[in-house]
Amino acid sequence: MSALLAVEGLAARYGGPLALEDVSFALDPGRRIGVLGPNGGGKTTLFRVLLGELEPVRGSIERHGGLGYVPQTERSRLDYPVTALDVALMGTLTRLPWWRRSGRDDRRFALAALGRVGLEHRARDAFGELSGGQRQRVLVARALVQDTPILLLDEPFSGLDQTSADLLDDLLDALAAEGRGILITTHDVDQARRWDSVLCLHRRQIAFGPPEETLTRDVLERTYGGAIVSLPGDGDSVGILPAHHH
């Protein structure tokens, strides 16, 4: 089966030294890749290159189908007077001519996307009044309206309570089961263990592969600069120690 997204030897910069280099991976249909690394490690740079916002210095990107992007809900403006349906409808902007407003069919499609994430009943509610987990699922609905085979999610679990995180996790599993390829940035090592593959970055690619083979102590030390601690009573589990604690 052909990969939806294939990256080979990718490098990028913001005008100075390389911010990211030597990145190579493939995303197949129905697979979930966790992108793991510290702040400043290159996760956002990778997404910006894939979205076409930053030109790569070298390397190649082969893509089959469009990209749907789900930003962090923590970075969303909550004071705009828009409803959950309005936000979902924004997904139509990428496929409508600039001169055409969204119509009845587009609204039906957006409502269906909200239903897909379990929030059709909140369609008329103000986006800013929803919980963090609900806002995150509305942003996923917006990406679904774009109807793309590839989804990029920027730390979607950040700040969510356990119930909201479980709902989002189940949704991502269902979307992958439908054949979508999903890239998810995260700081959570244990969470990354549950996905199909993990891509570890620290301004370059440290490792890529199945979590059980990739998330070794050596790889995590190189990814997080040695800020690794053992978790007592958890077998081989490790935790990430914030830099200011060591």
Side-chain angles (χ1 to χ4, degrees), residues 122-165:
R122 303 299 301 270
R124 306 294 178 186
D125 292 349
F127 180 71
E129 294 177 359
L130 301 176
S131 70
Q134 290 169 335
R135 291 196 302 271
Q136 194 67 68
R137 284 185 283 150
V138 170
L139 294 175
V140 173
R142 182 178 68 178
L144 295 181
V145 169
Q146 296 174 11
D147 198 23
T148 62
I150 305 167
L151 294 176
L152 309 183
L153 294 97
D154 184 10
E155 298 190 23
F157 294 92
S158 178
L160 299 191
D161 59 51
Q162 192 57 53
T163 299
S164 297

Side-chain angles (χ1 to χ4, degrees), residues 5-6 28 46 51-52 72 84 87 91 97 124 128 143 166 169 182 203 211-212 232:
L5 178 67
D28 293 328
L46 174 62
L51 291 166
Q72 293 183 44
V87 174
R124 306 294 178 186
D166 290 343
D169 210 21
I182 304 175
R203 301 184 68 84
E212 62 273 15

